[in-house]
Short mmCIF file of all heavy atoms in Angstrom, two decimals:
data_model
loop_
_atom_site.label_atom_id
_atom_site.label_comp_id
_atom_site.label_asym_id
_atom_site.label_seq_id
_atom_site.Cartn_x
_atom_site.Cartn_y
_atom_site.Cartn_z
N PRO A 283 0.78 -1.24 -0.02
CA PRO A 283 0.01 0.01 -0.04
C PRO A 283 0.81 1.29 -0.02
O PRO A 283 0.49 2.23 -0.70
CB PRO A 283 -0.85 -0.08 1.27
CG PRO A 283 -0.72 -1.48 1.76
CD PRO A 283 0.48 -2.07 1.16
N ARG A 284 1.95 1.27 0.71
CA ARG A 284 2.79 2.49 0.74
C ARG A 284 3.44 2.76 -0.57
O ARG A 284 3.49 3.92 -1.06
CB ARG A 284 3.81 2.35 1.87
CG ARG A 284 4.73 3.55 1.98
CD ARG A 284 4.03 4.77 2.54
NE ARG A 284 4.92 5.93 2.51
CZ ARG A 284 4.69 7.03 1.95
NH1 ARG A 284 3.63 7.32 1.43
NH2 ARG A 284 5.57 8.02 2.09
N PHE A 285 3.97 1.75 -1.22
CA PHE A 285 4.58 1.82 -2.45
C PHE A 285 3.51 2.26 -3.54
O PHE A 285 3.76 3.12 -4.37
CB PHE A 285 5.19 0.57 -2.91
CG PHE A 285 6.54 0.20 -2.28
CD1 PHE A 285 6.98 -1.07 -2.33
CD2 PHE A 285 7.22 1.13 -1.56
CE1 PHE A 285 8.18 -1.40 -1.71
CE2 PHE A 285 8.39 0.88 -0.82
CZ PHE A 285 8.91 -0.45 -1.04
N ALA A 286 2.36 1.68 -3.44
CA ALA A 286 1.24 2.11 -4.36
C ALA A 286 0.90 3.49 -4.20
O ALA A 286 0.65 4.19 -5.23
CB ALA A 286 0.03 1.18 -4.05
N GLU A 287 0.81 4.04 -3.01
CA GLU A 287 0.51 5.48 -2.83
C GLU A 287 1.58 6.39 -3.49
O GLU A 287 1.21 7.32 -4.20
CB GLU A 287 0.48 5.74 -1.28
CG GLU A 287 0.10 7.12 -0.96
CD GLU A 287 0.18 7.29 0.61
OE1 GLU A 287 -0.34 6.35 1.29
OE2 GLU A 287 0.62 8.35 1.06
N ILE A 288 2.82 6.03 -3.30
CA ILE A 288 3.97 6.84 -3.87
C ILE A 288 3.87 6.64 -5.44
O ILE A 288 4.08 7.64 -6.12
CB ILE A 288 5.28 6.34 -3.34
CG1 ILE A 288 5.36 6.69 -1.80
CG2 ILE A 288 6.46 6.98 -4.10
CD1 ILE A 288 6.55 6.08 -1.14
N PHE A 289 3.64 5.44 -5.89
CA PHE A 289 3.62 5.21 -7.30
C PHE A 289 2.47 6.02 -7.96
O PHE A 289 2.76 6.70 -8.96
CB PHE A 289 3.35 3.69 -7.64
CG PHE A 289 3.33 3.34 -9.08
CD1 PHE A 289 4.47 2.94 -9.72
CD2 PHE A 289 2.18 3.45 -9.76
CE1 PHE A 289 4.48 2.66 -11.09
CE2 PHE A 289 2.09 3.16 -11.12
CZ PHE A 289 3.23 2.67 -11.82
N LYS A 290 1.29 6.05 -7.36
CA LYS A 290 0.24 6.78 -7.93
C LYS A 290 0.49 8.36 -7.98
O LYS A 290 0.21 8.99 -8.93
CB LYS A 290 -1.05 6.66 -7.13
CG LYS A 290 -1.61 5.31 -7.22
CD LYS A 290 -2.83 5.09 -6.34
CE LYS A 290 -3.30 3.71 -6.25
NZ LYS A 290 -4.43 3.51 -5.27
N ALA A 291 1.25 8.81 -7.00
CA ALA A 291 1.59 10.26 -7.02
C ALA A 291 2.62 10.49 -8.08
O ALA A 291 2.59 11.56 -8.75
CB ALA A 291 2.22 10.62 -5.60
N ARG A 292 3.56 9.61 -8.35
CA ARG A 292 4.60 9.81 -9.39
C ARG A 292 4.12 9.53 -10.72
O ARG A 292 4.69 10.07 -11.70
CB ARG A 292 5.82 8.95 -9.02
CG ARG A 292 6.60 9.41 -7.86
CD ARG A 292 7.87 8.50 -7.63
NE ARG A 292 8.55 9.01 -6.54
CZ ARG A 292 9.59 8.34 -5.99
NH1 ARG A 292 9.96 7.19 -6.50
NH2 ARG A 292 10.24 8.83 -4.89
N HIS A 293 3.15 8.60 -10.86
CA HIS A 293 2.75 8.13 -12.23
C HIS A 293 1.19 8.10 -12.19
O HIS A 293 0.59 7.05 -12.41
CB HIS A 293 3.30 6.80 -12.50
CG HIS A 293 4.79 6.71 -12.59
ND1 HIS A 293 5.60 7.25 -13.55
CD2 HIS A 293 5.69 6.28 -11.54
CE1 HIS A 293 6.87 7.07 -13.22
NE2 HIS A 293 6.97 6.45 -12.05
N PRO A 294 0.54 9.29 -12.13
CA PRO A 294 -0.86 9.25 -12.04
C PRO A 294 -1.52 8.77 -13.29
O PRO A 294 -2.74 8.36 -13.31
CB PRO A 294 -1.29 10.70 -11.74
CG PRO A 294 -0.08 11.43 -12.17
CD PRO A 294 1.14 10.60 -12.01
N GLN A 295 -0.91 8.88 -14.42
CA GLN A 295 -1.45 8.46 -15.71
C GLN A 295 -1.32 6.91 -15.95
O GLN A 295 -2.00 6.44 -16.93
CB GLN A 295 -0.75 9.17 -16.87
CG GLN A 295 0.72 8.87 -17.01
CD GLN A 295 1.70 9.43 -15.97
OE1 GLN A 295 1.33 9.93 -14.88
NE2 GLN A 295 2.96 9.34 -16.28
N VAL A 296 -0.69 6.23 -15.10
CA VAL A 296 -0.50 4.76 -15.25
C VAL A 296 -1.64 4.11 -14.40
O VAL A 296 -1.82 4.35 -13.26
CB VAL A 296 0.83 4.25 -14.79
CG1 VAL A 296 0.92 2.75 -14.85
CG2 VAL A 296 1.99 4.90 -15.61
N ARG A 297 -2.25 3.04 -15.05
CA ARG A 297 -3.31 2.27 -14.37
C ARG A 297 -2.55 1.35 -13.34
O ARG A 297 -1.86 0.43 -13.87
CB ARG A 297 -4.08 1.46 -15.33
CG ARG A 297 -5.30 0.80 -14.73
CD ARG A 297 -6.46 0.68 -15.65
NE ARG A 297 -7.57 0.16 -14.87
CZ ARG A 297 -8.55 -0.46 -15.48
NH1 ARG A 297 -8.58 -0.58 -16.76
NH2 ARG A 297 -9.60 -0.92 -14.76
N LEU A 298 -2.83 1.51 -12.10
CA LEU A 298 -2.21 0.70 -11.04
C LEU A 298 -3.25 -0.17 -10.38
O LEU A 298 -4.24 0.32 -9.92
CB LEU A 298 -1.49 1.61 -10.05
CG LEU A 298 -0.88 0.86 -8.91
CD1 LEU A 298 0.35 0.01 -9.34
CD2 LEU A 298 -0.51 1.80 -7.68
N PHE A 299 -2.90 -1.43 -10.23
CA PHE A 299 -3.79 -2.32 -9.49
C PHE A 299 -3.08 -2.72 -8.22
O PHE A 299 -1.96 -3.19 -8.23
CB PHE A 299 -4.01 -3.56 -10.29
CG PHE A 299 -4.88 -3.37 -11.53
CD1 PHE A 299 -4.32 -2.88 -12.74
CD2 PHE A 299 -6.21 -3.51 -11.46
CE1 PHE A 299 -5.10 -2.74 -13.81
CE2 PHE A 299 -7.09 -3.30 -12.58
CZ PHE A 299 -6.48 -2.80 -13.68
N GLN A 300 -3.70 -2.43 -7.08
CA GLN A 300 -3.04 -2.74 -5.81
C GLN A 300 -3.54 -4.15 -5.49
O GLN A 300 -4.61 -4.37 -4.88
CB GLN A 300 -3.47 -1.76 -4.68
CG GLN A 300 -2.70 -1.94 -3.50
CD GLN A 300 -2.91 -0.93 -2.44
OE1 GLN A 300 -3.33 0.26 -2.72
NE2 GLN A 300 -2.76 -1.28 -1.20
N ASP A 301 -2.77 -5.12 -5.96
CA ASP A 301 -3.10 -6.52 -5.84
C ASP A 301 -1.96 -7.40 -5.99
O ASP A 301 -0.83 -6.91 -6.06
CB ASP A 301 -4.15 -6.78 -7.03
CG ASP A 301 -5.00 -7.96 -6.85
OD1 ASP A 301 -4.67 -8.91 -6.01
OD2 ASP A 301 -6.11 -8.04 -7.45
N SER A 302 -2.19 -8.67 -6.01
CA SER A 302 -1.06 -9.61 -6.19
C SER A 302 -0.97 -10.02 -7.63
O SER A 302 -1.98 -10.21 -8.30
CB SER A 302 -1.32 -10.90 -5.30
OG SER A 302 -0.46 -11.98 -5.67
N VAL A 303 0.26 -10.34 -8.06
CA VAL A 303 0.38 -10.96 -9.39
C VAL A 303 -0.23 -12.25 -9.55
O VAL A 303 -0.51 -12.76 -10.69
CB VAL A 303 1.88 -10.90 -9.97
CG1 VAL A 303 2.36 -9.41 -9.99
CG2 VAL A 303 2.77 -11.71 -9.11
N ALA A 304 -0.56 -12.91 -8.44
CA ALA A 304 -1.29 -14.15 -8.50
C ALA A 304 -2.65 -13.99 -9.12
O ALA A 304 -3.24 -14.94 -9.70
CB ALA A 304 -1.45 -14.78 -7.07
N ASN A 305 -3.07 -12.76 -9.19
CA ASN A 305 -4.39 -12.39 -9.84
C ASN A 305 -4.29 -11.79 -11.19
O ASN A 305 -5.18 -11.01 -11.69
CB ASN A 305 -5.23 -11.49 -8.87
CG ASN A 305 -5.41 -12.25 -7.54
OD1 ASN A 305 -5.70 -13.38 -7.52
ND2 ASN A 305 -5.24 -11.48 -6.45
N VAL A 306 -3.10 -11.92 -11.84
CA VAL A 306 -2.85 -11.25 -13.08
C VAL A 306 -3.85 -11.49 -14.21
O VAL A 306 -4.28 -10.57 -14.93
CB VAL A 306 -1.41 -11.45 -13.55
CG1 VAL A 306 -1.17 -12.88 -14.02
CG2 VAL A 306 -1.04 -10.45 -14.70
N ARG A 307 -4.46 -12.61 -14.31
CA ARG A 307 -5.49 -12.89 -15.39
C ARG A 307 -6.72 -12.04 -15.12
O ARG A 307 -7.17 -11.43 -16.09
CB ARG A 307 -5.78 -14.39 -15.39
CG ARG A 307 -6.90 -14.78 -16.39
CD ARG A 307 -6.44 -14.68 -17.82
NE ARG A 307 -6.72 -13.35 -18.38
CZ ARG A 307 -6.14 -12.86 -19.48
NH1 ARG A 307 -5.27 -13.59 -20.18
NH2 ARG A 307 -6.44 -11.72 -19.92
N ALA A 308 -7.19 -11.93 -13.87
CA ALA A 308 -8.35 -11.16 -13.59
C ALA A 308 -7.98 -9.67 -13.77
O ALA A 308 -8.85 -8.93 -14.15
CB ALA A 308 -8.86 -11.39 -12.15
N ILE A 309 -6.84 -9.27 -13.43
CA ILE A 309 -6.32 -7.90 -13.49
C ILE A 309 -6.44 -7.52 -15.03
O ILE A 309 -6.85 -6.45 -15.42
CB ILE A 309 -5.00 -7.65 -12.88
CG1 ILE A 309 -5.14 -7.82 -11.32
CG2 ILE A 309 -4.33 -6.34 -13.38
CD1 ILE A 309 -3.81 -7.89 -10.66
N CYS A 310 -5.79 -8.38 -15.85
CA CYS A 310 -5.76 -8.11 -17.31
C CYS A 310 -7.21 -8.02 -17.87
O CYS A 310 -7.48 -7.13 -18.69
CB CYS A 310 -4.91 -9.19 -18.01
SG CYS A 310 -3.20 -8.99 -17.81
N ASP A 311 -8.02 -8.91 -17.45
CA ASP A 311 -9.44 -8.92 -17.88
C ASP A 311 -10.04 -7.52 -17.50
O ASP A 311 -10.77 -6.94 -18.34
CB ASP A 311 -10.22 -10.06 -17.32
CG ASP A 311 -9.86 -11.37 -17.76
OD1 ASP A 311 -9.14 -11.43 -18.88
OD2 ASP A 311 -10.16 -12.39 -17.13
N SER A 312 -9.85 -7.11 -16.27
CA SER A 312 -10.36 -5.84 -15.82
C SER A 312 -9.87 -4.63 -16.72
O SER A 312 -10.50 -3.66 -16.89
CB SER A 312 -10.07 -5.62 -14.40
OG SER A 312 -10.42 -4.36 -13.99
#
């Protein structure tokens, strides 16, 4: 969560999923 917060501030134009890569198929579908 802390890294995600900093990432969002630095790269607001990038779609960020705060999740595990174990869920990458569902993330890609989304």
